[in-house]
Amino acid sequence: MTVLYALDLVGTAAFAASGAWVAVRRRMDLFGVLVLGLVTAVGGGTLRDLLVGDLPPFSLQDETYLYLSIVAALTVFASRHRFQAVERPLLVLDAIGLGTFVVIGTTKALDFQLGFLGAALMGVMTCTAGGVIRDVLANQVPLILRKEVYASACLAGSLLLVALESFGTPRPTAALLAAATVITLRLLAIHYNWSLPRS
Amino acid sequence: MTVLYALDLVGTAAFAASGAWVAVRRRMDLFGVLVLGLVTAVGGGTLRDLLVGDLPPFSLQDETYLYLSIVAALTVFASRHRFQAVERPLLVLDAIGLGTFVVIGTTKALDFQLGFLGAALMGVMTCTAGGVIRDVLANQVPLILRKEVYASACLAGSLLLVALESFGTPRPTAALLAAATVITLRLLAIHYNWSLPRS
Amino acid sequence: MTVLYALDLVGTAAFAASGAWVAVRRRMDLFGVLVLGLVTAVGGGTLRDLLVGDLPPFSLQDETYLYLSIVAALTVFASRHRFQAVERPLLVLDAIGLGTFVVIGTTKALDFQLGFLGAALMGVMTCTAGGVIRDVLANQVPLILRKEVYASACLAGSLLLVALESFGTPRPTAALLAAATVITLRLLAIHYNWSLPRS
């Protein structure tokens, strides 16, 4: 599906930029910027592939993801003094990435015969594990565990997808509805500054 | 073996509760409580399965573990203002989990043709890696690397199990002795506040 | 190749010692010293094997690596009050390990049909992921993301190796040149205190 692949690349670049930006703010060197860009972009999908047993993972089978992430990270590093201007617009691309990654991760897990809950979790993991690794490497509590409707937007989308799938909805329809749900929830959460109940 | 499965579920619930409780104390949101509950409960066994090459891991093959962990984590979140009352009794269930996880992890690794040292380490990893990931996500040095006879009780049990196995002891006997060793050591360590030599 | 195996063991012992030493300085207990020694020594290669799909990983197939790492870590723990005297000489052994690990990791990835960029990254990962896990467990931002020409020396070597390989250079020649490049760059970096551009 060519549109899905294009959206996947958009999301990958946005994730790589967000990872590189965390590295810049944490005053890492060029190598750190590259590593955080790469793991944020491909870490979630790679971990999903490790768990469902599809080895080597997508990121080592189609190196486009690696090259794209490196270019995005280098771009952020090179333009780091003007990056704040694009930080907010980038959140929209990031949200598109979220919706795409949920659909790719959840459907892949279903195709690998995982159960509904497992598949939904793999969808969430595809979106979030890269950012979790990024935050762990930057030595901070992962953002998604603390605040913001981010992972929960992914969870809503992946649960919707497995529910629709179990009712026999054709996959393109289910995928489209799930992605739209994730992207809408995420953009609303940014706009209205939503958060989950805290401890 | 039905008794082993029942004990496995008891341990899983106790581990999930301990993970959720760390998340509550670190003031994470509801999603963080779920994630820390899940990774603490199934992280060790999942990493073991990744390493021995049994994919997808147990936690994605039998979703009971996932559902149980989620219920345990939600229960802790809902009763977080009264949780301290059960914190100490929970340590006993946690110790039962340790003994069970050592036996499951070590015997599985032996069945996958690992050597004795590797199998013993997989037994320890089944018990401890979930808690290590929990602490890394909570941005603290893993508890088991710092103090308490916890991992070392597991190591004693898994070494005993591989030693008995190498002497030809029937597995049920070896498993029972190993589990009893781990649970006894751990309960004594809690009672007498034992710790290992420090640097 | 017997020389390569001997150098691999030298590097493994040096890495285990560096991991154990971090644990000692962070005042971990004996178990923490063993864990940090083990993960620093075999973590990178193990993660590489997980990703290329060679399961169980090398460290569970040939337990020599595990025994050697444990002995090295225990030696550091036992001699911790005199360790600083050998800290600097150990950097030379560590550099030899780097060169060896780059060659082993990159060529293994090429043999598993990875692309050139993926293989080069696997070479770098073999060298660095163990140290990254060590630093994450010690709750600090990984050293290689912040400063020093360490990972970039590995990257230079692994890129050189895949470039030579793509030009049809015989593997022993390519391996030797790559290892020499890594070791030379690393020793020069130590001597002249080189670092990469920072954010």
Side-chain angles (χ1 to χ4, degrees):
Chain A
M1 221 198 295
T2 311
V3 176
L4 192 62
Y5 188 60
L7 291 174
D8 194 14
L9 295 181
V10 168
T12 299
F15 274 48
S18 96
W21 183 233
V22 168
V24 166
R25 277 181 307 173
R26 300 282 288 183
R27 298 195 39 70
M28 294 183 182
D29 67 15
L30 183 53
F31 185 80
V33 172
L34 286 174
V35 168
L36 256 65
L38 276 168
V39 300
T40 309
V42 305
T46 299
L47 187 55
R48 173 205 64 218
D49 285 356
L50 280 178
L51 288 168
V52 302
D54 184 27
L55 299 177
F58 82 103
S59 47
L60 294 175
Q61 282 181 21
D62 175 358
E63 300 200 333
T64 311
Y65 295 98
L66 300 179
Y67 284 106
L68 180 61
S69 302
I70 289 173
V71 169
L74 288 177
T75 306
V76 170
F77 186 76
S79 62
R80 60 192 181 278
H81 301 302
R82 284 151 294 158
F83 187 81
Q84 273 172 325
V86 296
E87 211 177 352
R88 213 169 159 82
L90 204 66
L91 285 177
V92 177
L93 299 185
D94 190 274
I96 292 171
L98 277 194
T100 312
F101 289 4
V102 162
V103 166
I104 290 173
T106 310
T107 56
K108 182 166 194 176
L110 289 171
D111 292 342
F112 272 77
Q113 315 300 339
L114 259 58
F116 286 137
L117 179 57
L121 292 180
M122 289 302 106
V124 176
M125 176 174 281
T126 305
C127 293
T128 57
V132 168
I133 302 172
R134 173 199 65 204
D135 292 344
V136 165
L137 292 178
N139 199 19
Q140 52 200 22
V141 175
L143 197 61
I144 63 153
L145 302 180
R146 285 181 291 142
K147 58 170 186 175
E148 290 194 275
V149 172
Y150 190 95
S152 38
C154 297
L155 185 58
S158 65
L159 287 174
L160 177 65
L161 208 164
V162 296
L164 291 171
E165 184 99 7
S166 75
F167 296 144
T169 314
R171 182 162 293 176
T173 312
L176 208 64
L177 286 172
T181 302
V182 175
I183 296 171
T184 308
L185 280 176
R186 179 63 192 141
L187 292 180
L188 287 172
I190 294 169
H191 191 74
Y192 292 108
N193 219 357
W194 285 344
S195 65
L196 284 192
R198 277 273 276 290
S199 313
Chain B
M1 219 197 299
T2 313
V3 175
L4 192 62
Y5 188 59
L7 292 173
D8 194 15
L9 295 181
V10 167
T12 299
F15 274 48
S18 96
W21 183 232
V22 168
V24 165
R25 277 181 308 174
R26 301 281 289 183
R27 298 195 37 72
M28 293 183 182
D29 68 14
L30 182 53
F31 184 80
V33 172
L34 285 173
V35 168
L36 257 66
L38 276 168
V39 300
T40 309
V42 305
T46 299
L47 188 54
R48 174 204 63 218
D49 285 357
L50 280 178
L51 288 168
V52 302
D54 183 29
L55 299 176
F58 82 103
S59 47
L60 294 175
Q61 282 181 22
D62 175 359
E63 300 200 333
T64 310
Y65 295 97
L66 300 179
Y67 284 106
L68 180 61
S69 303
I70 289 173
V71 168
L74 288 178
T75 306
V76 170
F77 187 75
S79 62
R80 61 191 180 278
H81 301 303
R82 285 151 294 157
F83 187 80
Q84 272 172 325
V86 296
E87 211 177 352
R88 214 169 159 81
L90 204 65
L91 285 177
V92 177
L93 299 184
D94 189 275
I96 293 171
L98 277 194
T100 313
F101 290 4
V102 163
V103 166
I104 291 174
T106 310
T107 56
K108 182 167 195 174
L110 288 171
D111 292 342
F112 274 75
Q113 315 299 340
L114 259 58
F116 286 137
L117 179 58
L121 292 181
M122 289 303 105
V124 176
M125 176 175 281
T126 305
C127 292
T128 57
V132 167
I133 302 172
R134 172 200 66 204
D135 292 344
V136 165
L137 292 179
N139 200 19
Q140 51 201 21
V141 175
L143 198 60
I144 63 153
L145 303 180
R146 285 181 292 143
K147 58 171 189 175
E148 289 194 276
V149 172
Y150 190 95
S152 36
C154 298
L155 184 59
S158 65
L159 287 174
L160 177 66
L161 209 164
V162 296
L164 291 171
E165 185 100 7
S166 75
F167 297 144
T169 314
R171 182 161 295 175
T173 312
L176 207 63
L177 287 171
T181 303
V182 175
I183 296 171
T184 307
L185 281 176
R186 178 64 189 140
L187 292 181
L188 287 172
I190 294 169
H191 191 74
Y192 292 108
N193 219 356
W194 285 344
S195 66
L196 284 192
R198 277 274 276 291
S199 313
Chain C
M1 221 197 297
T2 312
V3 175
L4 192 63
Y5 188 60
L7 291 174
D8 194 14
L9 295 181
V10 167
T12 299
F15 274 48
S18 97
W21 183 233
V22 168
V24 166
R25 278 182 307 173
R26 301 282 289 183
R27 298 195 38 71
M28 293 183 183
D29 68 14
L30 182 54
F31 185 79
V33 172
L34 285 174
V35 168
L36 256 65
L38 277 168
V39 301
T40 308
V42 305
T46 299
L47 188 54
R48 174 205 63 217
D49 285 357
L50 279 178
L51 288 168
V52 302
D54 183 29
L55 299 177
F58 81 103
S59 47
L60 294 174
Q61 282 181 22
D62 175 359
E63 301 199 333
T64 311
Y65 296 97
L66 300 179
Y67 284 106
L68 180 61
S69 303
I70 289 173
V71 169
L74 289 178
T75 306
V76 170
F77 187 75
S79 62
R80 60 192 181 277
H81 301 303
R82 283 151 295 157
F83 187 80
Q84 272 172 325
V86 296
E87 210 178 351
R88 213 168 160 82
L90 205 67
L91 285 177
V92 177
L93 299 184
D94 189 275
I96 293 170
L98 277 194
T100 312
F101 289 5
V102 162
V103 166
I104 291 174
T106 309
T107 57
K108 182 166 194 176
L110 288 170
D111 292 342
F112 273 76
Q113 315 301 341
L114 259 57
F116 286 137
L117 180 57
L121 292 180
M122 288 303 105
V124 176
M125 176 174 280
T126 305
C127 294
T128 57
V132 168
I133 302 173
R134 172 199 67 204
D135 293 343
V136 165
L137 293 178
N139 200 19
Q140 53 200 19
V141 175
L143 197 60
I144 63 152
L145 302 180
R146 284 180 292 142
K147 58 171 185 174
E148 289 194 276
V149 172
Y150 189 95
S152 38
C154 297
L155 184 58
S158 65
L159 287 174
L160 177 66
L161 208 164
V162 296
L164 290 172
E165 184 100 7
S166 75
F167 296 144
T169 314
R171 183 162 293 176
T173 312
L176 207 65
L177 286 172
T181 302
V182 174
I183 296 170
T184 307
L185 280 177
R186 180 62 191 141
L187 293 179
L188 287 172
I190 294 168
H191 191 73
Y192 291 108
N193 219 356
W194 284 345
S195 66
L196 284 192
R198 277 273 276 291
S199 312

